[in-house]
Amino acid sequence: MKVRWEDVVNLDVNKTHSRMTFTYDGGCITNSSGSGYWWWRTGTFWTRTAYSATINRIPEGWCVPTPDNTKRSRYVHNYVDGTFKNGIFCAGFDTYVYYDNVSTYAAYNGNVSGWFDSTWVDEPVGCPPLHWVASFVP
């Protein structure tokens, strides 16, 4: 799952991705891993001020961890948060962009999905408008 913020001419100013890889054995997810990706346009005074990535493996039924496969689960959820700041973008006043729970999700049958809970900008009145774009690429 990818979410990005763009300026008035549609240039990306920062973005956050939730990434996940996994295999499944026909009934359970195995070998899952998740990560986050944070990017900001260099030379434009954007900086990342906070970030996290968390993976949850949800065991259920026969899909429980075993000594041979400690990452075995029925579902896997990876979610990413992030905050970016720019103190120059709006005439020296701080502008913040927030990403909340940019998520990827995989199920035991190979189905995958992505979503995000919210993303927003906190900027002074009169600043050039920013807008967000989201996409899910399985």
Side-chain angles (χ1 to χ4, degrees):
M1 185 69 202
K2 300 177 183 183
V3 182
R4 67 183 187 267
W5 278 84
E6 298 179 341
D7 63 14
V8 294
V9 294
N10 299 325
L11 282 175
D12 292 353
V13 295
N14 53 64
K15 55 186 161 185
T16 297
H17 301 184
S18 174
R19 297 177 175 174
M20 186 166 36
T21 61
F22 67 95
T23 57
Y24 65 102
D25 62 10
C28 298
I29 293 175
T30 60
N31 304 315
S32 58
S33 65
S35 63
Y37 173 80
W38 302 267
W39 175 90
W40 54 97
R41 185 166 299 283
T42 58
T44 60
F45 303 100
W46 285 100
T47 59
R48 182 182 63 186
T49 60
Y51 64 99
S52 66
T54 305
I55 189 165
N56 288 327
R57 294 178 183 89
I58 302 110
E60 182 180 287
W62 60 90
C63 296
V64 296
T66 65
D68 294 338
N69 192 337
T70 59
K71 295 180 180 178
R72 187 174 172 176
S73 61
R74 188 110 164 131
Y75 307 96
V76 178
H77 177 204
N78 186 59
Y79 56 96
V80 176
D81 298 315
T83 304
F84 294 88
K85 176 186 174 184
N86 190 319
I88 303 296
F89 180 73
C90 190
F93 295 100
D94 291 341
T95 298
Y96 291 90
V97 169
Y98 301 91
Y99 298 88
D100 185 32
N101 289 335
V102 178
S103 298
T104 51
Y105 183 83
Y108 65 95
N109 59 5
N111 288 341
V112 295
S113 61
W115 69 88
F116 63 100
D117 287 351
S118 62
T119 186
W120 68 97
V121 64
D122 180 12
E123 63 184 346
V125 175
C127 288
L130 297 172
H131 62 277
W132 59 268
V133 178
S135 59
F136 176 66
V137 182

